[in-house]
Amino acid sequence: MAGRQDGRILNVRRDDPAMAEQARPADGPALSETDRRISDQEQAGTLVIDTNNRFLYYVQGGGRAIRYGVGVGRPGFEWAGVKSVSEKKEWPDWRPPAEMLARRPELPAFMAGGPENPLGARAIYLGSSLYRIHGSNEPGSIGTAVSSGCIRMRNEDVIDLYERVKVGTKVIVI
């Protein structure tokens, strides 16, 4: 990422040809009262995922957070709880779990990381669960409830978030 004088951050990944240059705000917008309560209750660096409203908040402290749009679990695959980031991977390989392969036998048992991979540009693994925060090769799915429980983000957004979070980061899914 490269900073600019106008206070914006550019996601520029010269090693990542699938990513286009895109301006993103350097800091989160002023928060609504609901958002402010989330932000004020949690330490800076915490992730709060509001599945009903389909937003992920990276808490910055001081009443501010960066808000990202997300896709969430479809009916029957919703979940809530507290996890922590256990691992992070760039262009992760995908191995659908046995349960998913049973529901959708047309899926491959393995897919190497890359632009066609459903996990997208980055994956942030949540504890020992099968759930992840990851990019998507279907950006139109952001803002919807279509996943098998993972949190989907636009590739540009998951790259930005990936650079901000560390292994051990607290993740609250509400």
Side-chain angles (χ1 to χ4, degrees), residues 1-2 4 8-24 91 115 121-122 136 139 154-160:
M1 291 185 296
R4 295 191 341 191
R8 295 168 67 84
I9 294 175
L10 292 177
N11 286 332
V12 180
R13 299 290 298 208
R14 298 192 198 298
D15 61 327
D16 204 341
M19 298 296 103
E21 183 176 293
Q22 176 161 347
R24 298 211 21 89
W91 291 109
R122 304 291 182 270
S136 178
R154 293 179 340 136
N155 279 329
E156 301 86 35
D157 290 343
V158 79
I159 288 172
D160 182 71

Side-chain angles (χ1 to χ4, degrees), residues 49-70:
I49 302 169
D50 179 349
T51 58
N52 285 335
N53 293 304
R54 309 222 178 36
F55 291 116
L56 180 153
Y57 298 91
Y58 175 77
V59 178
Q60 294 182 300
R64 297 185 66 81
I66 299 174
R67 185 175 80 175
Y68 303 92
V70 296

Side-chain angles (χ1 to χ4, degrees), residues 91 94 111 114-121 134-142 152-155:
W91 291 109
W94 182 50
M111 183 179 277
E116 300 303 313
N117 185 307
L119 296 183
H134 62 79
S136 178
N137 62 357
E138 298 176 326
S141 69
I142 306 311
R152 294 182 181 187
M153 300 179 75
R154 293 179 340 136
N155 279 329

